[in-house]
Every structure is written in C-alpha cells, then in structure tokens.
Amino acid sequence: MSTADSPVIGVLALQGDVREHLIALAAADAVARPVRRPGELDGLDGLVIPGGESTTMSKLAVAFGMLEPLRERVRAGLPVYGTCAGMIMVADKLLGGREDQETLGGIDMIVRRNAFGRQNESFEASVEVSGIEGGPVEGVFIRAPWVESVGAAAEVLATYDGHTVAVRQGNVLATSFHPELTGDHRVHALFVEMARDHARAELAPGGRGACVTAA
Amino acid sequence: MSSTSPSTTTPETGTARVKRGMAEQLKGGVIMDVVTPEEAKIAEDAGAVAVMALERVPADIRKDGGVARMSDPDMIDGIINAVSIPVMAKSRIGHFVEAQVLQSLGVDYIDESEVLTPADEVNHSDKWAFTTPFVCGATNLGEALRRIAEGAAMIRSKGEAGTGNVVEAVRHLRQIKGEIARLRGYDNNELYAAAKELRAPYELVKEVAELGKLPVVLFSAGGVATPADAALMRQLGAEGVFVGSGIFKSGDPAKRAAAIVKATTFYDDPSVIADVSRNLGEAMVGINCDTLPESERYANRGW
C-alpha cells in the first residue's frame, strides 16, 4: 500500500540495469519493486524504465502483453522515468531505430538511438540539470541516445555539447545518461517527488482515488 | 523553470564506470554467437541484447581443429553494419594486437576467449590499456579476480563451449558463487590468507567479501542449448547468458533464439519456460564432457 511519503515505484524488469534503479529509488525514500507483468502495474505511483537494450525490451513488452497496459498507464498520467533505453521507450518518435520498434511514447520528442556513438565513444561528463540543486550531476553516457527535437509541451532540462539529454513533459521524465550508475541519487529524488505529488493528488478529496473509494 | 546552461567539461571515454556500466545494460539478456550478417539479424529479431561476431561457432572450431584466431575484419564490419545492437568479438588470450585491431574496428566489447587458441601461455592482455571494454572467462573466483585485476569489465563463467552440455557451466558458476559466499563469512584477518589462496589481489578479495558479488557483471557461458538451460543458469545466479553454438546449430534457430530470450527474462516462472520450450525442433546434438580429452577442454585455457 502506498503512502504519499513513500511512493511505490516499479522498475520495468524485462531486461537491463534494474538492480541499480531499485537501489537508487530506495535511497531516495521510495518503495521500489521490479515489474514484469501487467498485473504488477496495479498500485504503482511511478514507473522507471531502466537502461538496457531498447529493442530487447520492446520485443519482450510486446510478447508478454505489457505494451498496451504500459501505454494506458502513461496516458493516464502515471509518472514515468526512462534512462537511456528508457528514454527511447518514452519517445513518441525514433530515428536510427528499427522500423518495427515499438515505444510507449509519452514525450513529444524525436530521439536518435546510439546518437553519441558506439561503446568506444561512451563517456562521462558533468551535466547541469535544470531543477536539480547542488551543482552538476555526473553524466554516464553509454551508447547513448540524444533528443533531436522536442514539441511545445516538452521542457528541455539539460543539454550536453549542444544536444538535448534530459527532458520532462508533464509526469514523464527522460535522461540520455545513467544516474543509477553513479551513487548520486538527486535525479531519482526528483522523480520520487513527481511520484509523491501524483500519489497525493490521487488521494486528495476529489482525486481519482477518492472517487473510487466513494463509489 | 530557469534556462539550462550547456556543460563544457571534457568528456572522459574508456573509464571503468563506462566499461562496467556497459555490461550492466546487458543484464537479464542473451548474447548470441553469429557468423554472418543474416544470423546477426535473426539474433536481433529474437531479442538478443548483443551478438558475438566470429568466423566459426565453437562446435565447428572443435570439429575443424587447427588454430582458431580472431575473425576477418570484413566479416566483423558486415555484422556491425547489419544490426543496431552491440557487437562483441573475440581475441586470443594474450594476443593484444588482435585486441587492438578489434578496438580499431569499433566493436563494443572484446572477449579475450579460451575458445580461440591461446597466443600466450603465461600472460593475458593488459585490458586497462584499451578504451573498448573486455569480457573474460573464469572457472573459479581467483581466475575471475585475476582477470578483473587485468582490467576485465565483465566476467562470464566458462563452461565448455561448443558441447551443448550445460554441466561445466553449472560447475563453474556454482564454484564462483560458492567461493563468494564463503568469503562473506570470513573476518578481516582471514581475507589476507584468502587472497593468497585465491592468487588474487587483496583489495579485490575484500571488495567481493563486502559486496557479496563480483564488482563487475557476471554472465554464464559454455553449453547452454535450451530455454531451461538458460533459466537454470539465471536461477543459479548468472546475470545473463551467452549462447554460442546452441542456437545456430539447432533445427530452428529463430524460434529457439526467441525462446531462450524469453526464458532468460522469466527464468523463475516454469509455466513460461514450458510454453517457450514447445516444438522448438532439434536441439544441437551435444557432447558428453566426461568423454572429452583434457587437451580438448577449452576451460583449461587461461591462468
């Protein structure tokens, strides 16, 4: 059972660095748990889509009936945070992907896969993220995507070398880089706060949670 | 919100975090041996997280005999161009020039592999000297830690490649996990002697004792041929699996590859493993490891 103080946040556990996100979310005072099946999405106040291989995640989501339930949750306003492959999954459009690659969507943006290059070009650099206090975060970019362009509703939170690498639109957050690999949990704390706000709104009188209870 | 200010710091490539972090992204996935761009596409379609580009799968290396070397750069380029997922390739143990060539080709990971004929019977390559990360095989914890000390950013238990027999994979993974569990019970005084016994640097031994796991990702390799084999290795503690000859030496590679991917994700759900195991066609024939002469055991290569 979620409380507004400790929101329950799922980490999509089809493939990728699930463990690191579970640890980072717990450190940011969320109750974190892996989710692989549609039924496990019930009761979540937020969902993280981890780093990994986006083609693999997308195929497994289709094969195990997760794609539509996930899309419904995103449309209904569930807070979602995607890192790297997760950023690709919440993009409305892809470049450099396979033509048949399915995404959940959620942010009106075009994301280019592996835009920063192959593994030899993977890098670390400091990145200033709008809304994160206390100085730049350590950006770990691994075969990372960048955001080619965003729609009017999306807010660019960070750029690196002229490329957009962090975006928020409503309750959906995405970064090209991997805060879960650094031990610096400020980006996760920002997301946990988004989930907390969402949980409070749902529990508030007149909120959706309240309506269901009344009925 | 305030406008964002672009960062100006110099990017650092080839750091331990970037190399080890790459392997973290492969977790829960299947890495498949492929010998042609067509096979690479089949692997990608099936949901592989990466492919290992090589000229001959281990089963054929066994059959053909002779010296097994790094693959033709043209063949590796062909596979890199065919897929969007990461591409790995193998160098011989200690053959750091093959590794330099693979790095210049832009492969995403180098496997310093006992499946190829070793080039040096004493020394492995100095893997810190490379931007491209390395994965290395190990049969026990000491071997794994020696490879990590040399700069390996990912470890795979060796198993016995090209046999289609999971028995050695189980032996090696159990050995590594068992030795880690034992270290957990040691006090600080005992860790020095443990390091000596393991023939591994004390600092790494201490780190493993504290973490209760290797400081890098641990996959399993060498003998996985079925979805149930892959799930077995996951339940025994592997964070993902390499499948070599098991896929493209079977009757229906595309179907078997997809089944092994699904079983690797739902490794703890027997009903999923049962479903994906139906009507897969012929598995690779396989070799009984106890009839394999010592000289033909790849796992003995590496020190």
Side-chain angles (χ1 to χ4, degrees):
Chain A
M1 187 63 199
S2 85
T3 65
D5 288 339
S6 294
V8 177
I9 299 184
V11 179
L12 188 65
L14 296 172
Q15 189 273 317
D17 66 345
V18 176
R19 179 178 174 272
E20 288 61 36
H21 276 289
L22 293 172
I23 292 169
L25 289 166
D29 295 328
V31 176
R33 65 182 193 214
V35 298
R36 287 182 300 183
R37 296 174 184 286
E40 294 165 356
L41 293 170
D42 295 340
L44 295 184
D45 301 312
L47 177 75
V48 166
I49 305 178
E53 190 45 53
S54 65
T55 56
T56 304
M57 258 184 241
S58 158
K59 279 168 199 304
L60 286 167
V62 172
F64 289 94
M66 278 295 264
L67 193 68
E68 283 311 319
L70 284 168
R71 283 176 174 162
E72 277 166 31
R73 295 307 200 287
V74 174
R75 275 198 295 271
L78 181 73
V80 177
Y81 172 32
T83 62
C84 195
M87 170 185 257
I88 292 166
M89 291 293 283
V90 298
D92 282 354
K93 285 205 189 81
L94 294 185
L95 290 175
R98 296 166 45 102
E99 279 167 19
D100 59 347
Q101 187 166 343
E102 300 276 2
T103 72
L104 309 180
I107 299 183
D108 179 10
M109 61 178 175
I110 300 175
V111 169
R112 184 179 289 280
R113 283 186 66 205
N114 305 336
F116 283 103
R118 304 187 67 86
Q119 176 60 16
N120 286 345
E121 284 80 55
S122 293
F123 65 98
E124 292 184 43
S126 302
V127 180
E128 288 280 357
V129 182
S130 175
I132 301 280
E133 304 294 322
V137 303
E138 303 163 76
V140 180
F141 295 81
I142 297 175
R143 287 172 51 94
W146 71 46
V147 180
E148 201 89 2
S149 65
V150 296
E155 182 189 7
V156 173
L157 300 184
T159 60
Y160 182 80
D161 200 19
H163 302 290
T164 296
V165 294
V167 178
R168 178 176 176 178
Q169 180 177 325
N171 274 343
V172 187
L173 177 69
T175 60
S176 301
F177 50 91
H178 295 275
E180 74 277 12
L181 297 179
T182 63
D184 176 350
H185 305 309
R186 286 177 293 162
V187 181
H188 285 82
L190 170 73
F191 179 64
V192 171
E193 197 51 43
M194 287 165 61
R196 202 173 276 140
D197 288 345
H198 178 73
R200 284 201 187 106
E202 295 277 293
L203 291 168
R208 202 169 351 165
C211 288
V212 171
T213 315
Chain B
M1 232 174 257
S2 64
S3 66
T4 58
S5 56
S7 306
T8 50
T9 54
T10 325
E12 273 189 274
T13 58
T15 62
R17 195 148 66 174
V18 156
K19 289 173 168 177
R20 293 178 180 187
M22 168 73 205
E24 302 286 354
Q25 308 312 312
L26 301 172
K27 285 191 299 189
V30 183
I31 299 167
M32 302 180 189
D33 279 3
V34 297
V35 301
T36 63
E38 292 68 36
E39 286 187 0
K41 282 188 198 131
I42 291 171
E44 184 179 45
D45 279 339
V49 289
V51 291
M52 178 75 69
L54 69 179
E55 245 161 29
R56 288 177 293 173
V57 294
D60 287 333
I61 293 174
R62 280 189 188 283
K63 206 171 65 191
D64 298 351
V67 175
R69 311 179 179 90
M70 177 189 78
S71 299
D72 184 328
D74 230 25
M75 176 267 171
I76 294 169
D77 279 346
I79 286 171
I80 286 177
N81 292 330
V83 293
S84 68
I85 57 178
V87 176
M88 302 184 169
K90 291 181 193 289
S91 78
R92 282 179 265 178
I93 290 172
H95 205 315
F96 51 86
V97 173
E98 285 188 347
Q100 290 163 3
V101 170
L102 294 174
Q103 172 164 288
S104 81
L105 293 174
V107 304
D108 296 291
Y109 242 89
I110 298 169
D111 184 0
E112 187 181 24
S113 177
E114 70 281 2
V115 169
L116 304 185
T117 311
D120 189 324
E121 292 189 330
V122 179
N123 306 293
H124 285 247
S125 297
D126 168 17
K127 293 164 274 286
W128 297 113
F130 290 79
T131 303
T132 312
F134 278 73
V135 56
C136 288
T139 59
N140 57 52
L141 181 59
E143 197 177 357
L145 296 182
R146 287 193 292 280
R147 296 298 83 79
I148 294 168
E150 294 156 2
M154 178 180 187
I155 294 293
R156 53 176 174 75
S157 56
K158 280 181 179 171
E160 196 52 52
T163 61
N165 187 338
V166 82
V167 66
E168 295 298 311
V170 168
R171 186 196 316 282
H172 297 154
L173 189 61
R174 277 199 186 279
Q175 179 71 29
I176 293 168
K177 300 295 285 187
E179 286 177 300
I180 292 173
R182 273 201 295 286
L183 278 189
R184 291 284 273 172
Y186 287 1
D187 66 29
N188 281 340
N189 301 298
E190 293 171 303
L191 288 178
Y192 294 95
K196 202 161 69 178
E197 214 169 279
L198 288 166
R199 294 190 290 128
Y202 166 77
E203 293 304 329
L204 279 176
V205 171
K206 189 167 162 26
E207 192 178 358
V208 169
E210 281 165 4
L211 290 173
K213 65 185 279 299
L214 294 180
V216 301
V217 167
L218 172 64
F219 268 46
S220 168
V224 170
T226 69
D229 287 348
L232 174 65
M233 300 321 294
R234 290 278 275 131
Q235 286 201 28
L236 287 172
E239 297 180 282
V241 294
F242 284 83
V243 185
S245 320
I247 289 171
F248 289 99
K249 285 287 162 189
S250 75
D252 188 343
K255 194 168 176 191
R256 182 168 296 264
I260 291 176
V261 167
K262 290 172 185 164
T264 300
T265 290
F266 288 90
Y267 64 95
D268 53 355
D269 187 334
S271 67
V272 171
I273 301 165
D275 272 350
V276 301
S277 299
R278 290 173 204 277
N279 300 312
L280 285 183
E282 296 268 323
M284 72 178 282
V285 175
I287 296 172
N288 284 321
C289 292
D290 48 8
T291 59
L292 206 59
E294 281 298 312
S295 62
E296 289 177 26
R297 287 176 181 259
Y298 297 156
N300 293 341
R301 298 168 169 177
W303 18 89

